[in-house]
Amino acid sequence: MRVWVPGCATGEEVYSLAICILETLGSSQSKMRIQIFGTDLSESVIGHARAGIYPSAIEKDVSRSRLKRFFIKRDGSYQIHRNVRDICTFARQNITADPPFSRLD
């Protein structure tokens, strides 16, 4: 499964899609290769997205079970778990000039 999120900013939508896909597939996820691409024009927001670190304020919007399953608490912030980050690739891209991704679901 290949998914592309153009204009991904700091990665919240990319990681939300990854979490939804992983939850939906459950134990079947090992049978499918999942690649989620997030692109943005800004290299600085792409760096933030790659790190996958968000403030503790996400506790208001993310359920406890998801925080426990998909995040690691670090010094007053939350980082997306490595197994989620591993299926997400972030890159700088100008969608008005660069070619789009191909072979997407």
Side-chain angles (χ1 to χ4, degrees):
M1 176 181 290
R2 291 169 48 95
V3 179
W4 176 32
V5 178
C8 72
T10 55
E12 288 93 335
E13 185 177 354
V14 174
Y15 291 126
S16 294
L17 281 169
I19 288 169
C20 288
I21 290 168
L22 292 172
E23 286 178 333
T24 300
L25 291 176
S27 61
S28 301
Q29 73 185 11
S30 62
K31 299 175 187 172
M32 180 182 291
R33 182 167 181 206
I34 303 165
Q35 293 179 297
I36 304 174
F37 302 99
T39 60
D40 200 279
L41 185 59
S42 171
E43 191 64 50
S44 64
V45 297
I46 289 296
H48 182 73
R50 282 186 188 119
I53 299 172
Y54 300 100
S56 61
I58 67 169
E59 293 171 335
K60 291 184 277 181
D61 300 314
V62 180
S63 70
R64 274 200 155 134
S65 62
R66 283 188 176 137
L67 286 172
K68 186 176 179 179
R69 181 174 175 195
F70 298 109
F71 293 84
I72 299 167
K73 192 163 187 168
R74 296 177 189 252
D75 302 324
S77 61
Y78 286 94
Q79 184 172 32
I80 298 285
H81 199 279
R82 174 56 106 194
N83 68 333
V84 179
R85 285 186 286 136
D86 284 347
I87 65 172
C88 300
T89 301
F90 294 94
R92 185 183 177 283
Q93 183 185 43
N94 180 346
I95 61 171
T96 63
D98 299 328
F101 281 78
S102 60
R103 296 179 287 122
L104 296 171
D105 297 304

